[in-house]
Amino acid sequence: MADKSSSLPPLCERISYKSRSLRAVDLTILGLLFSLLLYRIRHMSQNDTVWVVAFLCECCFTFIWLLITCTKWSPAEYKPYLDRLDERVHELPSVDMFVTTADPVREPPILVVNTVLSLLAVNYPANKLACYVSDDGCSPLTYFSLKEASMFAKIWVLFCKKYSVRVRAPFRYFLNPIDAKDDSEFSRDWEMTKREYEELVQKVEDATGNSYWLDAGDDFEAFSNTKPSDHSTIVKLTKRLIIRLHVAEIVVVFLKVIWENEEGVGDEKEVPHFVYISREKKPNYLHHYKAGAMNFLVRVSGLMTNAPYMLNVDCDMYANEADVVRQAMCIFMEGSMNPNHCAFVQFPQKFYDSNSDEIVVLQSYVGRGFAGIQGPVYAGSGCFLTRRVMYGKLLAAERLERDFGKSKEMVKSVVDALQRKSNPQDTLINSSEAAQAVGHCHYEYQTSWGKTVGWLYDSTTEDAHTSIGIHSRGWTSSYISPEPPAFLRCMPPGGPEAMLQQRRWATGLLEILFTKQNPLNGSSCKKIRFRQSLAYLYIFTWGLRSIPELFYCLLPAYCVLHGSALFPKGVCIGIVVTLVGMHCLYTLWEFTSLGFSVHSWYASQSFWRIKTTGSWLFSIPDIILKLLGVSNTIFIVTKKTISKTRLESGDRPSQKEDDGSNPDSNKFEFDGSLYFLPGTFILLVNLTAIAGFSMCLQRSSRSYGGSGSSMIDACGCILVVILFLPFLIGLFEKGKYGIPLSTLSKAAFLAVLFVVFSVRN
């Protein structure tokens, strides 16, 4: 209960980051883009087809910048006040914490273990927390690792709370040694806790690749004949040694209460509820990837604890700030009197390894821009959500069963959630039978799950799809960017994994454009603000940007080879020079103002071009094939790795890798996938154009049409080569850092065709 006196200071404060100077720069760049378009229109009749193509590309760039300007116009975020929360809120609400994993190979179990341990140890009453792990891979190794971690958690949670440890993921906390001469109680506890953690890690490593432990007892019997996409299930409540095996019939879910907090008084020595689940999966049923797993987590947690708030984190994102739950509660508790105050609280995704600067900058400016309108986009991880928002509005009794399924227990939990009631903490075991019923593959058939209830389906980016669905109903969301960061995660290395992730994102965002949540569809977005719709349109069209970017990377080379003029002549060339210069300085300022280096800025600009013309390009045929009914989009889990980077000081996490310790940490990796074909093709074409220009293969003025701007076009080719420098380096590297011969031969063949077409056309 919170003190509702209006005279008290607020639990949180909205901070505005409006800047007239930045608005002026945004408008100036927009004005230069319109000036360039106007110049193209006025001289269209005097130039050839290249001029038309350039005009169309620049129209796209102008529209994108207009969307960016609208999005970033009034940036904001919220600042929580924990001291006021402690003074005014005498009983904190319950929170269910969700962790999702799907592949023990691409998502190492020890990484999942550290995420779970960090959540179990947050500064929040243990009797108000429950951690649910969804294992879509139905992996005995993952379950074994989590079961072992539950025993270590009793030591780790007590150690963290006793000594107010901030970094509560052991693999990060123990990177820095302590003073060997220190013989204090803390030093002895530190050594003991580290030794226990190293034993846990060793057990997980020994279990990886071995199966001897599967015969250790009945605990792993149900894993003996399972497959990730086809498995039956058990329910085992290990705390009270109640075992229920279902073998003769198709059962629904691995549901194991690894640890149940039976005390329930909120003592610092307690550990929150800890539940492992793996939903039923059959080859002939759609499982809807992560969105389906999240909806199952909502149903199971609703039957067991039914907390009014839910935290969603990916398996590689650990809690870096012990007070993160209380920070989110400052937002929710402040707006408890307003039913549409806040649907979810999103924390920015920050990283403890390299290859992440671009995302951090994007969130700092575009993310705050969203927050200044109707609220940030749900990013799929590091987000606290209100359960009743995921259920929608209070419905008539006769519609509840139709929308939420035929489980009476589920319907009751929905009604309780909409009325803001939590389940009694002693019903965890009693709800196991009901949890089976809501986990059947066919349970969602002819219900509203994935349509208007829970996480929305029909997109591989279920987070953005669900987000616009929430905002379309009139809800707002809040953005908190604390220092130190609330959550930290790892990034896939720059190369095949990063390109795969970018393709999935671009494809999923494009999918939303063909659903009823499309921001251009006014009938379904009546309660979403106009600027919020434009902001969503900016991110949903990322995949479509690949076409104008690809053409624009090839146009300078075509003009040099063909003898056409791409850019304005005379004084008007200043429009292009000023535009490029201002954009470079503006984006450079965005990076350096956040503490990143010039090299980081260049690397991000380079990777943006690479991913746009590479992985984003393939999102377009993905969508076309889906619309034609030829194939469906596929959700491929991104490979996660554990970084061994040492923390900067104490237990403060480092934002970047120590590049000095690994000379290959910033190298771009290649493989034989098609993602790298467009970039290699672009590089070869522009190198050919530069070589042709420098060797004066076309000497006479007639070779350039008499009106061409050959020098500026050649400079454009040089700029493209600089942006694709990782591919140039890849021409001379070997192994995974070199471009494969198969990719190089295909790109060379396409480059020859392009050169022949350019010269003869």
Side-chain angles (χ1 to χ4, degrees):
M1 293 290 292
D3 190 337
K4 301 178 181 178
S5 175
S6 59
S7 62
L8 295 175
L11 297 177
C12 60
E13 177 185 2
R14 187 177 188 273
I15 302 175
S16 176
Y17 290 93
K18 294 179 182 179
S19 172
R20 292 183 178 180
S21 58
L22 293 183
R23 286 181 173 182
V25 173
D26 288 332
L27 292 177
T28 301
I29 293 177
L30 190 62
L32 288 171
L33 285 168
F34 277 116
S35 298
L36 181 59
L37 294 180
L38 181 60
Y39 181 89
R40 295 252 186 231
I41 293 173
R42 294 182 61 184
H43 296 81
M44 191 72 69
S45 60
Q46 303 172 15
N47 294 275
D48 56 13
T49 308
V50 172
W51 206 259
V52 178
V53 175
F55 172 76
L56 295 176
C57 292
E58 288 158 1
C59 283
C60 294
F61 300 150
T62 303
F63 179 67
I64 292 169
W65 192 260
L66 177 62
L67 295 179
I68 293 175
T69 302
C70 291
T71 303
K72 296 165 57 178
W73 193 252
S74 54
E77 69 176 75
Y78 280 84
K79 179 181 179 181
Y81 294 101
L82 298 181
D83 54 338
R84 300 175 186 176
L85 180 73
D86 296 336
E87 293 174 359
R88 293 166 51 185
V89 180
H90 310 304
E91 184 177 356
L92 292 167
S94 299
V95 178
D96 290 337
M97 304 180 292
F98 301 154
V99 180
T100 54
T101 184
D103 189 332
V105 176
R106 301 182 70 81
E107 298 173 331
I110 194 62
L111 198 63
V112 184
V113 162
N114 274 272
T115 296
V116 169
L117 289 172
S118 72
L119 296 177
L120 295 176
V122 294
N123 281 342
Y124 206 78
N127 62 324
K128 297 291 185 179
L129 295 175
C131 182
Y132 296 83
V133 178
S134 169
D135 178 18
D136 248 15
C138 191
S139 166
L141 176 60
T142 300
Y143 172 65
F144 171 82
S145 304
L146 292 171
K147 185 179 178 182
E148 293 295 325
S150 68
M151 293 181 280
F152 173 71
K154 304 168 190 176
I155 301 173
W156 176 246
V157 171
L158 179 60
F159 175 78
C160 289
K161 294 185 177 180
K162 180 178 179 180
Y163 296 107
S164 300
V165 174
R166 186 179 65 75
V167 178
R168 303 204 169 184
F171 86 111
R172 296 292 292 170
Y173 177 73
F174 289 120
L175 285 177
N176 280 354
I178 60 173
D179 187 357
K181 299 179 181 179
D182 187 4
D183 192 31
S184 63
E185 181 183 4
F186 166 74
S187 177
R188 292 190 294 272
D189 287 349
W190 189 92
E191 291 289 351
M192 184 273 294
T193 306
K194 182 181 181 184
R195 185 168 57 253
E196 292 289 337
Y197 174 67
E198 289 173 345
E199 291 180 4
L200 168 63
V201 174
Q202 190 61 49
K203 288 180 181 179
V204 175
E205 290 179 352
D206 292 343
T208 304
N210 297 304
S211 59
Y212 65 89
W213 44 272
L214 286 173
D215 300 325
D218 293 338
D219 205 22
F220 297 95
E221 181 180 346
F223 289 98
S224 58
N225 296 311
T226 61
K227 297 179 181 179
S229 60
D230 186 2
H231 59 78
S232 56
T233 61
I234 65 171
V235 175
K236 180 176 180 181
L237 308 176
T238 61
K239 178 60 178 174
R240 295 184 180 177
L241 301 179
I242 298 178
I243 304 175
R244 293 172 185 157
L245 288 176
H246 297 255
V247 180
E249 57 180 327
I250 296 179
V251 288
V252 288
V253 55
F254 277 107
L255 194 157
K256 296 176 179 285
V257 179
I258 298 177
W259 174 260
E260 181 177 2
N261 176 14
E262 292 181 326
E263 301 297 331
V265 296
D267 188 87
E268 288 190 354
K269 297 181 181 179
E270 295 179 17
V271 177
H273 297 308
F274 184 16
V275 182
Y276 169 94
I277 67 173
S278 184
R279 58 183 173 143
E280 182 191 34
K281 298 178 76 174
K282 296 297 175 183
N284 296 328
Y285 287 88
L286 290 176
H287 301 114
H288 302 290
Y289 309 112
K290 183 181 175 181
M294 292 303 302
N295 283 338
F296 180 56
L297 278 167
V298 172
R299 294 197 294 272
V300 171
S301 63
L303 292 168
M304 288 188 164
T305 47
N306 209 26
Y309 301 103
M310 305 175 293
L311 167 62
N312 163 222
V313 297
D314 287 342
C315 64
D316 64 329
M317 174 178 277
Y318 68 86
N320 182 62
E321 170 55 63
D323 291 320
V324 61
V325 182
R326 293 166 63 237
Q327 289 178 346
M329 290 306 113
C330 288
I331 305 295
F332 289 128
M333 295 295 96
E334 177 64 25
S336 60
M337 299 301 293
N338 183 354
N340 286 350
H341 171 72
C342 183
F344 59 86
V345 176
Q346 178 67 58
F347 289 83
Q349 298 196 30
K350 296 192 177 182
F351 307 85
Y352 58 80
D353 55 5
S354 58
N355 308 315
S356 61
D357 305 348
E358 175 194 354
I359 296 180
V360 173
V361 174
L362 188 68
Q363 290 180 127
S364 296
Y365 295 102
V366 177
R368 284 177 176 172
F370 268 93
I373 309 173
Q374 195 172 341
V377 177
Y378 167 47
S381 187
C383 184
F384 290 83
L385 303 106
T386 307
R387 184 181 291 270
R388 60 193 179 89
V389 171
M390 305 308 293
Y391 289 161
K393 304 295 184 178
L394 184 60
L395 304 175
E398 63 272 10
R399 292 190 56 188
L400 288 174
E401 186 174 307
R402 186 186 68 185
D403 288 339
F404 293 94
K406 297 182 179 180
S407 168
K408 294 181 179 179
E409 293 85 353
M410 185 67 223
V411 170
K412 181 181 182 302
S413 75
V414 169
V415 174
D416 289 343
L418 293 173
Q419 295 175 352
R420 307 189 185 190
K421 296 180 182 178
S422 296
N423 284 352
Q425 294 297 304
D426 60 354
T427 61
L428 217 59
I429 291 178
N430 298 333
S431 59
S432 60
E433 294 288 346
Q436 295 182 24
V438 300
H440 277 298
C441 288
H442 56 75
Y443 179 80
E444 295 181 351
Y445 181 66
Q446 291 186 338
T447 69
S448 295
W449 287 101
K451 302 171 185 175
T452 58
V453 173
W455 274 254
L456 302 185
Y457 300 153
D458 297 329
S459 173
T460 55
T461 52
E462 78 295 326
D463 45 10
H465 196 191
T466 304
S467 180
I468 191 172
I470 291 172
H471 285 139
S472 296
R473 300 203 307 267
W475 291 89
T476 62
S477 55
S478 299
Y479 182 83
I480 304 179
S481 182
E483 190 60 42
F487 297 97
L488 287 175
R489 69 184 308 174
C490 64
M491 275 288 288
E497 290 297 329
M499 299 292 274
L500 175 65
Q501 184 183 63
Q502 292 290 335
R503 177 181 181 176
R504 191 186 75 220
W505 288 351
T507 302
L509 293 171
L510 273 179
E511 283 179 303
I512 303 174
L513 289 177
F514 298 94
T515 68
K516 67 178 183 179
Q517 303 298 344
N518 183 344
L520 297 177
N521 187 352
S523 61
S524 65
C525 302
K526 293 180 180 179
K527 295 183 179 180
I528 192 171
R529 300 176 189 175
F530 177 68
R531 280 181 56 213
Q532 189 82 0
S533 294
L534 294 180
Y536 271 114
L537 189 61
Y538 163 67
I539 62 172
F540 289 168
T541 55
W542 276 0
L544 298 178
R545 295 179 56 174
S546 59
I547 297 177
E549 294 239 11
L550 176 63
F551 275 99
Y552 220 76
C553 286
L554 296 172
L555 282 176
Y558 177 85
C559 290
V560 169
L561 295 170
H562 181 255
S564 301
L566 175 60
F567 300 109
K569 298 185 300 179
V571 178
C572 292
I573 193 60
I575 298 176
V576 176
V577 174
T578 304
L579 185 58
V580 173
M582 284 192 67
H583 185 269
C584 289
L585 292 175
Y586 187 24
T587 54
L588 177 60
W589 173 84
E590 288 182 330
F591 274 78
T592 55
S593 64
L594 294 176
F596 295 113
S597 64
V598 175
H599 178 268
S600 173
W601 164 77
Y602 161 73
S604 295
Q605 296 300 309
S606 175
F607 183 63
W608 187 276
R609 304 284 87 75
I610 292 171
K611 72 182 181 183
T612 304
T613 57
S615 54
W616 287 9
L617 181 65
F618 289 97
S619 67
I620 297 177
D622 286 344
I623 294 300
I624 293 175
L625 292 176
K626 178 181 179 180
L627 294 176
L628 294 176
V630 176
S631 64
N632 290 320
T633 54
I634 299 176
F635 188 104
I636 301 178
V637 177
T638 306
K639 186 176 181 180
K640 280 86 173 180
T641 57
I642 297 181
S643 171
K644 302 298 183 182
T645 308
R646 177 168 294 184
L647 303 185
E648 289 180 347
S649 61
D651 55 5
R652 180 184 177 188
S654 170
Q655 179 66 30
K656 293 185 64 63
E657 286 274 7
D658 182 9
D659 295 332
S661 62
N662 183 9
D664 293 333
S665 60
N666 287 324
K667 284 188 177 181
F668 199 84
E669 298 179 9
F670 297 90
D671 66 4
S673 64
L674 291 176
Y675 300 132
F676 305 105
L677 179 59
T680 308
F681 166 63
I682 291 171
L683 176 70
L684 294 179
V685 165
N686 281 276
L687 286 176
T688 302
I690 294 171
F693 178 78
S694 61
M695 295 174 64
C696 301
L697 295 180
Q698 301 175 352
R699 299 178 181 277
S700 66
S701 60
R702 290 181 299 173
S703 299
Y704 297 100
S707 60
S709 302
S710 57
M711 180 60 69
I712 193 64
D713 293 337
C715 289
C717 294
I718 294 173
L719 179 59
V720 172
V721 171
I722 292 174
L723 290 173
F724 284 82
L725 185 61
F727 284 79
L728 181 62
I729 297 174
L731 293 177
F732 306 98
E733 292 281 354
K734 296 181 179 179
K736 64 180 181 180
Y737 301 115
I739 300 175
L741 181 60
S742 59
T743 302
L744 189 59
S745 59
K746 294 173 186 175
F749 175 74
L750 293 176
V752 170
L753 292 180
F754 181 89
V755 171
V756 172
F757 173 79
S758 302
V759 173
R760 293 186 177 182
N761 188 23

